[in-house]
Amino acid sequence: MSGNSVIEMVDVRRYFIVGDFVVKALDGITMDIRQGEFVSIMGPSGSGKSTMMNMIGCLDRPTSGIIRIDGTNTTEFSERDLAYVRNEKIGFVFQQFNLLGKLSALDNVMTPLLYARISPRERKEIAIEALERVGLGERMKHRPNELSGGQKQRVAIARALVNNPSLILADEPTGALDTKTGNQIMELFEQLNAEGRTIVLVTHNRELGMACRRQILIRDGRLED
Ligand SMILES: Nc1ncnc2c1ncn2[C@@H]1O[C@H](COP(=O)(O)OP(=O)(O)OP(=O)(O)O)[C@@H](O)[C@H]1O
Ligand SMILES: [Mg+2]
């Protein structure tokens, strides 16, 4: 069912020095997530979930250990290489949507494609297709403040899809939504997963976390079983 490793961590540590203290945000994580999986990362506040997401998303580097994305060791990558991995392989979805307020839904969804070597016309076609995919074909001209919370998150998901990422990373994607809207967003992730996309979701919400195919539980920077 599941294929190759999309993410592999080997004894990953991330220590922060704060004054005289060392905060061990991640303290020896070894795990892997395979192509086509739908995984939640759960754990108490301060347990290291966002730190782990930042590692997986190439937004931060480990203090020690190895991280492989699609089989490639990213540990020695330059900032530029990491930016390339982020742009090519990872679609990000955040709690607060992170949409650009002055741009239409369509323009927001097109932004990740600005760096791709494709024509403006093709960019538009891909973005329209992504918006239709999330059920927002009728809202392309709307700006974020003319959309509901759930619609904004759909735009953000469409934006995460346009580069055809091997991995979708979502940190509390339903945290700013009411239960019903949150469930609709979860359904959308389930559909995307059924189409073969790998999804990693951080959530405080036990019900949503348990709805994922597998749970990674973290406490004090270590995995729990
Ligand atoms: N930049 C930083 N500098 C110092 N300490 C940090 C930094 N980032 C995180 N930490 C510490 O690392 C630990 C893990 O933080 P992290 O943000 O990963 O937790 P979390 O599981 O995402 O929590 P929450 O559920 O509240 O979002 C915490 O003790 C936090 O205080
Ligand atoms: Mg967090």
Side-chain angles (χ1 to χ4, degrees), residues 44-51 53 95 171-172 202 204:
S45 181
S47 58
K49 302 182 298 296
S50 292
T51 306
M53 281 303 234
Q95 181 171 347
D171 198 346
E172 297 280 5
V202 164
H204 267 103

Side-chain angles (χ1 to χ4, degrees), residues 1-2 5-7 30-42 52 193 198-201 203 208-217 223-224:
M1 190 191 79
S2 306
S5 277
V6 178
I7 307 152
T30 297
M31 60 110 190
D32 93 291
I33 295 174
R34 294 182 170 264
Q35 204 183 330
E37 276 206 290
F38 187 3
V39 179
S40 61
I41 298 177
M42 290 195 292
M52 185 138 133
N193 176 248
T198 312
I199 298 175
V200 181
L201 177 107
T203 181
L208 294 185
M210 295 313 282
C212 296
R213 217 72 57 72
R214 173 159 75 102
Q215 292 74 36
I216 292 176
L217 305 178
L223 295 186
E224 276 193 315

Side-chain angles (χ1 to χ4, degrees), residues 14 54 57-62 74-87:
R14 178 64 170 103
N54 292 341
C58 299
L59 294 163
D60 190 17
R61 295 162 183 284
T74 60
T75 321
E76 306 287 321
F77 273 20
S78 65
E79 286 306 318
R80 211 189 138 121
D81 293 337
L82 290 175
Y84 180 82
V85 174
R86 281 199 296 273
N87 201 48

